[in-house]
């Protein structure tokens, strides 16, 4: 099947799964809180729509790699959603740390609802990502769920390493290219690499090719981050 045919099927499924996971907070007394999450995800509020939801690259990678190993990609949806929710949790907190007023052309959550609420929104997205991982038990045995959680949690810790370096480097002018690569390794590259590594938990064929795919995803993350930085005129934070 052509790649575009896969993505045409996968993207709506990803969006539906994300909405299903975030709906855990869709309760009468929690409606304003729930709407903070749906706003950040690009589903509600001014300017809502596909232009502000993001490309969903990370969950797509999870599903495409799963499909490439002749596994049922629908069974991997909750893992794909978990990684995308981790990504979005990191964006909410990153906007606070960067003092960013805008994300994808819209007012950021912390600027719209103040910092304490935005921190809570980020925390909720992180917790829901963990609950999404647990949903894998519907299709996989417990040991696979645990291995998947281990990969994603390690990537989360890597994100904090990269974010620490990102903030620590702001006041320095003596950085080497090696310092920069190390920061990227803990940011964009870590989650992209996790997208392929989680598939090890359910792939039909475990071989060197899968390991190489995981390495390729990490390298792609470095290139993606480098392109973002290079194309931003004078900007050092993204």
């Amino acid at each position: 099947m052509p790649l575009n045919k896969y993505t045409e099927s996968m993207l709506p499924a990803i969006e539906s799964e994300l909405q299903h996971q975030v709906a855990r907070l869709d309760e009468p007394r929690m409606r304003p809180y729930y709407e903070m999450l749906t706003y950040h995800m690009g589903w509600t509020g001014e300017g809502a729509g596909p232009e502000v939801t993001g490309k969903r690259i990370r969950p797509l990678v999870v599903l495409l790699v799963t499909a490439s190993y002749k596994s049922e990609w629908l069974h991997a949806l909750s893992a794909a959603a978990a990684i995308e929710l981790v990504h979005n949790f990191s964006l909410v907190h990153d906007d606070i740390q960067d003092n960013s007023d805008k994300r994808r052309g819209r007012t950021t959550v912390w600027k719209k609802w103040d910092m304490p609420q935005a921190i809570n929104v980020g925390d909720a997205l992180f917790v829901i990502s963990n609950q999404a991982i647990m949903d894998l038990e519907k299709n996989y045995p417990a040991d696979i769920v645990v291995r998947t959680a281990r990969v994603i949690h390690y990537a989360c810790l890597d994100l904090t390493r990269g974010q620490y370096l990102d903030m620590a480097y702001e006041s320095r002018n003596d950085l080497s290219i090696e310092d920069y690569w190390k920061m990227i390794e803990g940011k964009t590259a870590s989650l992209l690499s996790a997208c392929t590594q989680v598939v090890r938990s359910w792939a039909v064929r475990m071989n060197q090719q899968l390991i190489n795919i995981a390495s390729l995803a990490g390298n792609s993350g470095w290139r993606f981050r480098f392109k973002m930085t290079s194309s931003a005129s004078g900007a050092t934070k993204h």
Side-chain angles (χ1 to χ4, degrees), residues 61-62 65 83 144 147-148 150-152 154-155 158 189-203 206 210-211 213-215 217-218:
V61 170
V62 173
V65 174
I83 290 180
I144 286 181
R147 288 200 297 269
T148 302
R150 185 179 294 120
V151 169
I152 295 177
Y154 187 85
D158 253 0
S190 64
L191 271 187
L192 281 173
S193 181
C195 291
T196 58
Q197 291 179 43
V198 295
V199 182
R200 296 181 188 185
S201 298
W202 58 74
M206 301 290 184
L210 183 57
I211 296 173
I213 288 175
S215 176

Side-chain angles (χ1 to χ4, degrees), residues 6-33:
Y6 271 114
T7 58
E8 285 174 8
S9 299
M10 290 174 176
L11 282 172
I14 289 168
E15 217 60 33
S16 178
E17 179 67 18
L18 287 168
Q19 290 170 358
H20 167 71
Q21 294 295 340
V22 173
R24 296 173 191 272
L25 286 174
D26 188 8
E27 305 167 0
R29 288 189 175 86
M30 294 294 105
R31 184 52 60 88
Y33 180 30

Side-chain angles (χ1 to χ4, degrees), residues 86-178:
V86 166
H87 172 58
N88 276 274
F89 130 73
S90 73
L91 296 182
V92 174
H93 284 189
D94 190 61
D95 287 339
I96 296 169
Q97 293 165 326
D98 289 354
N99 198 34
S100 298
D101 295 345
K102 299 288 184 182
R103 175 163 296 280
R104 298 170 185 149
R106 300 203 305 168
T107 303
T108 50
V109 173
W110 80 269
K111 199 67 177 176
K112 191 174 179 68
W113 284 287
D114 293 330
M115 196 177 297
Q117 290 288 10
I119 292 172
N120 204 39
V121 167
D123 291 348
L125 290 169
F126 178 72
V127 172
I128 294 171
S129 76
N130 282 273
Q131 292 175 311
I133 295 171
M134 294 301 102
D135 281 353
L136 283 172
E137 67 183 359
K138 298 172 184 175
N139 298 300
Y140 299 101
D143 63 311
I144 286 181
V145 178
V146 170
R147 288 200 297 269
T148 302
R150 185 179 294 120
V151 169
I152 295 177
H153 290 162
Y154 187 85
C156 288
L157 189 59
D158 253 0
L159 283 176
T160 69
R161 293 185 178 105
Q163 188 68 0
Y164 161 74
L165 292 175
D166 197 356
M167 294 186 291
Y169 288 173
E170 286 183 347
S171 58
R172 292 179 54 184
N173 55 15
D174 61 338
L175 299 173
S176 66
I177 190 66
E178 289 77 17

Side-chain angles (χ1 to χ4, degrees), residues 220-238:
S220 297
W222 296 336
R223 290 194 293 272
F224 180 67
R225 185 73 181 186
F226 184 74
K227 182 178 180 181
M228 288 171 61
T229 305
S230 301
S231 63
S233 175
T236 57
K237 298 280 291 175
H238 301 280

Side-chain angles (χ1 to χ4, degrees), residues 71-90:
S71 296
E72 177 52 71
W73 61 265
L74 286 169
H75 291 173
L77 270 172
S78 61
I83 290 180
E84 183 66 10
L85 290 166
V86 166
H87 172 58
N88 276 274
F89 130 73
S90 73

